[in-house]
Amino acid sequence: MSSIPAIDANALTKAYPNGRGCQDVTLTVGKGEAFGFLGPNGAGKSTFVKMLVGLISPTDGQASILGHPLGSIEAKMKIGYLPELYRYQDWLTGEEVVRLHAKLCRIPKSVMDQRIPQLLQEVGIGLRGGDRVKHYSKGMQQRLGLACALVNDPEILFLDEPSSALDPIGRMEVRKILQRLKERGITIFLNSHLLEDVEVLCDRMALLSNGAVLRHGKVAEMLNKRTNWHFKVGGYTPFLLSWLNEHTGLTIRQSVPAAGKSGYDPAQEGESDSSIVWLAAELDHEEQAGWLNGLMVQQGMTLYQVIRQTERLEDWFMDAVAGLSHRGEKE
């Protein structure tokens, strides 16, 4: 495998008079990698992507696409781009829109004739490629945009909110398409607020806040915190909790599970009873949970329910931005 990264940005900066943009963004994306770019609205994500694809020029810093300078013809030939805000000629058919993009990429007609029907089928437009764009829903237009981004068979695919206009079924279908592209070795740079897409698809991710990278790393490592286990027990006393902490060496505390997760419904708790409580502990594996269950029963507690809650990317995201001020879209 070549040592040249797909994307290499070093202190890339775009400064605007109103203080927006992004500053000193440094990151590297390897070939064939799926990279998630996260952040609140107005964080500067789209600004960064526009610099990478050559639509705007950086104020400072430098970056390259497969070893080529940003904005160069060589770099642009390697990329496909689906912007967040897109408009297509509504008097054209979907197929004609993709063909127009193919002509702009100087793709030979013989290649177009073979590739375009395949693309329309792959993104879920199919025979509706003969319909005019004005009859397309927002979701269909987004699928059309994905076909346009793929028409030049790019090595790197930049996607700015590719699933924002799709229903849950459509998002799942687009996710499958991206997974197949990843399996083919295409590098994917995914700018999305749909955290589930990033969690399922991406190898690494970065979190942008107010124009600067707040955290970055492998998705699996970012979420590899110990699992929270919640135990609903009866016969509880503060003495028993102290004994459990001292005997196990764990940090066990009173804590109610997050509502709506892992089947917990606070409405089903019924009448309050001070001897019936929820205890929580961060554990490394299920064997610890079984051991803790046994200790609770041995000490005379009654075990009513056990809930296992692993951290999701949404939890990680909210924890990372907690307490921070965000400039937002209108500031």
Side-chain angles (χ1 to χ4, degrees):
M1 180 179 293
S2 172
S3 59
I4 299 176
I7 302 169
D8 189 14
N10 184 22
L12 202 62
T13 298
K14 182 64 177 180
Y16 291 108
N18 62 2
R20 299 187 52 146
C22 53
Q23 63 269 359
D24 296 327
V25 177
T26 297
L27 57 83
T28 301
V29 179
K31 290 183 178 179
E33 186 176 18
F35 191 92
F37 203 50
L38 305 176
N41 289 337
K45 303 186 301 298
S46 292
T47 296
F48 184 71
V49 171
K50 288 176 182 178
M51 285 192 287
L52 292 181
V53 301
L55 289 178
I56 59 176
S57 299
T59 305
D60 201 358
Q62 57 186 3
S64 61
I65 301 294
L66 292 168
H68 303 293
L70 297 185
S72 65
I73 295 298
E74 293 82 1
K76 290 181 178 180
M77 290 176 64
K78 304 289 186 179
I79 66 175
Y81 174 48
L82 174 59
E84 180 180 13
L85 300 176
Y86 52 84
R87 294 292 184 273
Y88 301 114
Q89 298 86 344
D90 59 7
W91 62 88
L92 295 179
T93 67
E95 181 177 350
E96 288 171 341
V97 170
V98 182
R99 190 169 292 273
L100 172 61
H101 282 75
K103 289 179 179 178
L104 293 173
C105 293
R106 299 182 180 179
I107 298 174
K109 184 178 182 304
S110 59
V111 177
M112 286 189 216
D113 292 341
Q114 181 178 7
R115 182 178 298 166
I116 291 175
Q118 293 175 347
L119 279 176
L120 293 174
Q121 188 66 35
E122 185 175 11
V123 301
I125 292 179
L127 296 177
R128 290 205 60 192
D131 294 352
R132 298 192 186 280
V133 173
K134 65 181 179 181
H135 298 305
Y136 282 9
S137 65
K138 289 183 178 179
M140 286 289 288
Q141 290 189 41
Q142 201 150 29
R143 293 170 187 268
L144 179 62
L146 185 57
C148 292
L150 293 169
V151 74
N152 63 326
D153 196 17
E155 294 185 42
I156 306 176
L157 184 60
F158 290 94
L159 302 171
D160 201 348
E161 303 290 359
S163 302
S164 60
L166 300 175
D167 59 23
I169 295 176
R171 289 200 298 271
M172 184 184 302
E173 291 174 349
V174 168
R175 196 182 302 153
K176 289 180 180 178
I177 293 170
L178 298 181
Q179 187 64 49
R180 289 196 296 269
L181 295 173
K182 179 182 175 183
E183 291 171 356
R184 280 165 40 189
I186 295 177
T187 304
I188 298 173
F189 192 94
L190 178 61
N191 178 7
S192 178
H193 71 277
L194 297 173
L195 304 183
E196 185 179 358
D197 290 347
V198 175
E199 186 171 353
V200 171
L201 181 71
C202 294
D203 306 295
R204 291 191 304 126
M205 63 183 178
L207 173 61
L208 199 71
S209 178
N210 295 325
V213 173
L214 189 63
R215 298 184 185 181
H216 64 89
K218 293 182 178 180
V219 174
E221 292 179 358
M222 293 270 197
L223 301 180
N224 191 26
K225 292 187 176 181
R226 295 195 297 180
T227 301
N228 283 311
W229 290 78
H230 295 266
F231 307 87
K232 185 179 181 180
V233 297
Y236 164 83
T237 67
F239 169 78
L240 289 174
L241 180 59
S242 299
W243 183 89
L244 283 172
N245 277 294
E246 182 178 350
H247 187 77
T248 63
L250 298 170
T251 300
I252 305 170
R253 65 196 187 282
Q254 280 191 250
S255 179
V256 177
K261 295 187 178 183
S262 305
Y264 175 69
D265 183 0
Q268 297 178 358
E269 286 297 299
E271 296 295 329
S272 61
D273 184 339
S274 60
S275 69
I276 299 177
V277 301
W278 282 93
L279 300 179
E282 288 187 350
L283 306 178
D284 292 312
H285 44 72
E286 291 183 352
E287 287 77 7
Q288 282 185 314
W291 173 56
L292 196 53
N293 287 346
L295 290 176
M296 290 176 178
V297 173
Q298 288 176 16
Q299 296 304 309
M301 294 190 217
T302 302
L303 188 64
Y304 292 109
Q305 189 175 358
V306 179
I307 291 179
R308 179 176 184 265
Q309 291 187 344
T310 55
E311 186 175 46
R312 305 289 294 181
L313 186 55
E314 179 180 0
D315 304 315
W316 176 91
F317 181 90
M318 296 306 296
D319 177 66
V321 301
L324 299 177
S325 60
H326 306 293
R327 58 197 184 191
E329 293 180 335
K330 297 181 179 180
E331 296 181 7

